[in-house]
Amino acid sequence: MSQKIEDYALIGDCETAALVGRNGSIDWLCWPAFDSDACFAAILGTHKNGRWLIAPSDEVTTISRRYLGDTLILETRFEAKSGTVALIDFMPPRGKASDIVRLVRGVTGTVKMRMELVIRFGFGVDIPWVRRCKDGSLLAVAGQDMTVLRTPVEPRGEDLTTVADFEVRAGETVPFVLTYGPSHLDPPEPIDPETAFQETEKFWQEWSDRYDREGDYHDLVMRSLITLKALTFAPTGGIVAAPTTSLPEKLGGARNWDYRFCWLRDATFTLLALMNSGYTEEASAWHSWLLRAAAGSPDNMQIMYGIWGQRRLLEWEAGWLDGYEGAKPVRVGNAAHAQLQLDVYGELIDAFHQSRMAKLKLDDETTWALECAVLQHLAEVWDHPDHGIWERRGKPKHYVFSKVMTWVAFDRAIKSAETFGFKAPLLHWRALREAIHRDVCDKGFDTEENAFVECYGSKLLDASVLLLSGVGFLPADDARIRGTVAAIENHMMRDGFVLRHDPREISEEKQPIEGAFLACTLWLADAHVLAGDLDKAQALFDRVADLANDVGLLAEEYDSIARRQAGNFPQALTHIALINTGHNLSAARRKSEKPAMQRSKQ
């Protein structure tokens, strides 16, 4: 039985990540990279699909967790009748190999412990061949994959599981190190666990110390920044939407998607979160990833790419996995990569413009050439229907937010050309910008509802239209924006949180298709910041922040009926939105400064 999504914590080495449950079990890990096959997949099935449990065999009375300072080193403290033990879990920043280090430290008394290691490559189905090496380590091999377990404890095999029973006394530390390597090479060299701990702590603390600690929400923002860093694939600078696949948007439902890829939709939000926090190196790396991924013919630009920039993210189903709490199917890959989503063109051009305004070091000649090619293509297709920001898998429509983002593309390109003196067909671009604006206002605004709607001709709303004032399409005090915000609050909120889809769309089913989308709730807070209603914004921000689990992590959605987090976890977009809203509120409360998220003002 899987634990609640919010009962997991994250560890990682900036190339992959693992989820550690409150019970001391690592139930999810894709090795050696975010998009590799999972070798621990218990979260989507049972312990037989792979996990690594270390916990007291004695009765446990209390479990508490924390990250050690501003790091990604997790401490889980078990209090048993016989004593207290701390389990320290971390992944050292990637060196020659990828390691998981688990340190069992006695705090008080003497505690009996149990270790159970179930390695199942290939998303929980491939049972490795295990043998003991001369140095006492255990080598597990299946196909291309290999792991090596090193520990002073004597393990044994039971029912295709590596187990060990041991005791830890106060003041003692028992280490376990599991290392991944390609099976055709020699086993990776061992590392010293205590040295790895010190170096990992130093790495994260030095990184965290770069954050500008001014502002009212330091702890929340800092943890979100660390999470964003952990979701960054260091070799390329790409940032995955989440390290997981198929954690359901509706508990028990079929809206289960693979999020272990990089979305262009998140481009500008990500840049703002990094740049406004002082992480210009990471912002530059993300910009470079965007430039490489989008290179090529503009008509082939995708909504998402793999961590290396791969384009083919073919979707298939792992039918042998039962799914999280029975939510099937379990999907690997994402067929939405082939959709047309016009909003990504605006995100790309806006991201490049924001990078220039922040004075990141860019190759302007190459970047501008790509932008001009993209805009030439966009001039031909902006009035086509698409699948929208939420990747609807039905018939394409004229989504309002998609059209607005095509306006953003031309608006930012015009601003860049005017500010930096780039050669551009400004008259043509200005005419297109005006035409798109007029088209959206004429066809995407419902005068009866006094709100911008999901798509042309529809009566339904959509949470993405909350971003219209933030991207500069209309000012926050425009009557149409005020009406839109009011309509969202009237029709699209459940228990104080914003849904991304209009619930009236599913009135016949009488059941929500998913939980409330946490990033959208923060977008409503941003709209209130721009309108000057900081009390409303603060209430929404606090409501989302209060949902973070005991170690500060948030999923994609929140099921307010079950009172549980839902969707892939932890979700980059949620943490990015929390960072940006935190900055916006802090800036707005310092009345002499403008909110940092006003993308249109730069």
Side-chain angles (χ1 to χ4, degrees):
M1 180 70 178
S2 300
Q3 300 177 74
K4 293 180 180 180
I5 289 173
E6 57 265 35
D7 282 343
Y8 287 96
L10 182 78
I11 59 173
D13 63 2
C14 298
E15 292 194 29
T16 191
L19 295 186
V20 187
R22 286 178 57 85
N23 64 347
S25 179
I26 298 178
D27 286 351
W28 179 255
L29 171 66
C30 297
W31 241 352
F34 290 111
D35 60 355
S36 300
D37 287 5
C39 65
F40 298 144
I43 195 172
L44 298 179
T46 72
H47 71 279
K48 294 182 180 180
N49 298 121
R51 71 163 183 179
W52 188 10
L53 171 71
I54 299 179
S57 51
D58 293 346
E59 181 182 351
V60 174
T61 57
T62 305
I63 301 175
S64 60
R65 300 186 300 180
R66 60 170 181 153
Y67 284 112
L68 301 182
D70 292 334
T71 76
L72 203 65
I73 301 173
L74 177 70
E75 178 190 83
T76 304
R77 184 167 290 227
F78 299 97
E79 294 184 14
K81 290 183 177 181
S82 57
T84 301
V85 65
L87 175 63
I88 310 296
D89 290 323
F90 63 95
M91 297 181 72
R94 187 72 62 93
K96 293 182 179 180
S98 182
D99 305 280
I100 297 178
V101 180
R102 313 195 77 181
L103 305 175
V104 184
R105 290 182 170 165
V107 180
T108 65
T110 299
V111 182
K112 293 181 179 180
M113 301 293 295
R114 174 80 169 179
M115 189 278 294
E116 297 179 2
L117 175 61
V118 184
I119 298 173
R120 296 293 184 266
F121 297 111
F123 289 101
V125 73
D126 296 336
I127 302 174
W129 170 58
V130 180
R131 66 181 175 89
R132 188 181 298 275
C133 300
K134 292 181 179 180
D135 63 358
S137 62
L138 284 185
L139 186 71
V141 174
Q144 66 182 355
D145 301 303
M146 171 177 63
T147 62
V148 183
L149 175 67
R150 295 181 172 99
T151 177
V153 172
E154 188 70 22
R156 65 187 186 276
E158 287 183 3
D159 191 24
L160 300 178
T161 300
T162 299
V163 303
D165 296 295
F166 61 100
E167 291 184 344
V168 60
R169 297 174 178 82
E172 292 182 343
T173 296
V174 180
F176 295 80
V177 180
L178 188 66
T179 306
Y180 176 89
S183 62
H184 66 281
L185 299 179
D186 292 334
E189 292 294 320
I191 63 171
D192 178 69
E194 288 295 341
T195 301
F197 172 82
Q198 294 169 11
E199 292 177 348
T200 302
E201 185 176 43
K202 180 181 179 183
F203 169 84
W204 283 107
Q205 202 58 62
E206 288 181 349
W207 189 86
S208 301
D209 286 344
R210 291 164 48 196
Y211 175 52
D212 179 0
R213 294 178 180 270
E214 293 182 4
D216 302 322
Y217 315 103
H218 169 265
D219 291 344
L220 285 168
V221 171
M222 186 74 260
R223 180 50 53 189
S224 291
L225 285 166
I226 292 170
T227 303
L228 193 57
K229 176 68 172 177
L231 299 181
T232 301
F233 186 63
T236 66
I239 300 174
V240 295
T244 56
T245 180
S246 300
L247 295 183
E249 295 173 356
K250 176 178 173 58
L251 298 173
R255 294 172 65 88
N256 317 318
W257 315 110
D258 194 345
Y259 272 23
R260 299 170 303 140
F261 309 114
C262 310
W263 266 254
L264 264 62
R265 171 198 63 193
D266 305 342
T268 308
F269 292 124
T270 304
L271 272 172
L272 289 172
L274 292 169
M275 292 188 304
N276 290 334
S277 302
Y279 289 101
T280 55
E281 291 180 14
E282 287 75 12
S284 294
W286 173 238
H287 174 277
S288 297
W289 181 89
L290 288 170
L291 184 61
R292 293 191 304 271
S297 177
D299 59 335
N300 291 328
M301 196 168 80
Q302 297 182 181
I303 67 169
M304 72 181 85
Y305 297 88
I307 54 179
W308 294 98
Q310 311 99 299
R311 293 172 178 264
R312 291 180 179 84
L313 311 177
L314 302 180
E315 184 177 304
W316 55 278
E317 296 179 5
W320 58 87
L321 289 171
D322 293 334
Y324 179 83
E325 295 189 1
K328 299 183 75 171
V330 171
R331 293 183 172 92
V332 180
N334 200 313
H337 77 273
Q339 289 183 350
L340 172 65
Q341 290 183 23
L342 294 172
D343 64 284
V344 299
Y345 295 101
E347 286 294 345
L348 187 71
I349 304 301
D350 195 13
F352 290 161
H353 177 67
Q354 299 294 339
S355 298
R356 289 191 187 94
M357 297 303 296
K359 299 181 180 179
L360 296 184
K361 294 181 180 179
L362 309 177
D363 182 349
D364 272 334
E365 184 176 347
T366 301
T367 305
W368 187 247
L370 172 65
E371 291 177 75
C372 289
V374 166
L375 290 163
Q376 183 177 353
H377 173 68
L378 188 57
E380 300 172 359
V381 301
W382 73 265
D383 57 350
H384 290 192
D386 74 332
H387 290 276
I389 186 175
W390 306 129
E391 298 154 21
R392 296 285 195 140
R393 296 199 173 193
K395 183 180 178 181
K397 300 177 182 179
H398 292 281
Y399 288 98
V400 169
F401 184 72
S402 295
K403 293 292 189 285
V404 169
M405 290 308 293
T406 65
W407 176 90
V408 167
F410 289 106
D411 179 74
R412 303 308 192 265
I414 291 166
K415 286 180 167 64
S416 279
E418 293 173 339
T419 303
F420 299 97
F422 298 144
K423 184 178 180 180
L426 288 176
L427 290 177
H428 180 50
W429 288 355
R430 289 176 183 135
L432 282 169
R433 180 176 64 176
E434 182 179 348
I436 296 169
H437 199 282
R438 183 169 56 250
D439 192 68
V440 172
C441 292
D442 289 346
K443 301 176 182 177
F445 185 80
D446 181 359
T447 55
E448 293 183 4
E449 186 65 63
N450 191 32
F452 286 97
V453 292
E454 176 191 55
C455 58
Y456 289 1
S458 175
K459 291 290 185 179
L460 297 174
L461 301 168
D462 183 277
S464 61
V465 297
L466 287 168
L467 297 170
L468 265 59
S469 59
V471 301
F473 186 78
L474 286 170
D477 60 358
D478 187 284
R480 291 164 291 185
I481 295 296
R482 294 200 304 269
T484 300
V485 171
I488 293 287
E489 291 178 319
N490 187 37
H491 295 295
M492 292 190 61
M493 296 192 73
R494 183 191 300 128
D495 300 323
F497 299 93
V498 178
L499 305 172
R500 59 174 168 172
H501 304 301
D502 196 323
R504 294 173 294 181
E505 178 182 10
I506 53 167
S507 58
E508 294 182 1
E509 299 179 18
K510 305 298 184 183
Q511 290 290 330
I513 62 174
E514 64 179 13
F517 205 79
L518 296 179
C520 294
T521 304
L522 292 165
W523 293 350
L524 177 58
D526 291 335
H528 284 310
V529 171
L530 286 173
D533 195 336
L534 300 188
D535 290 340
K536 281 188 176 181
Q538 186 71 59
L540 289 162
F541 179 84
D542 292 342
R543 198 170 297 146
V544 172
D546 286 344
L547 296 181
N549 70 3
D550 54 335
V551 289
L553 300 181
L554 289 160
E556 181 181 33
E557 302 187 3
Y558 177 66
D559 185 329
S560 62
I561 299 173
R563 295 186 179 183
R564 291 178 55 184
Q565 295 194 32
N568 284 301
F569 173 89
Q571 176 76 8
L573 185 59
T574 305
H575 284 280
I576 289 165
L578 191 144
I579 293 166
N580 288 333
T581 304
H583 287 322
N584 298 336
L585 277 166
S586 293
R589 293 197 181 283
R590 300 191 298 269
K591 295 182 180 180
S592 60
E593 300 181 27
K594 67 177 185 303
M597 51 79 68
Q598 293 192 61
R599 293 158 55 165
S600 60
K601 299 300 183 182
Q602 296 190 17

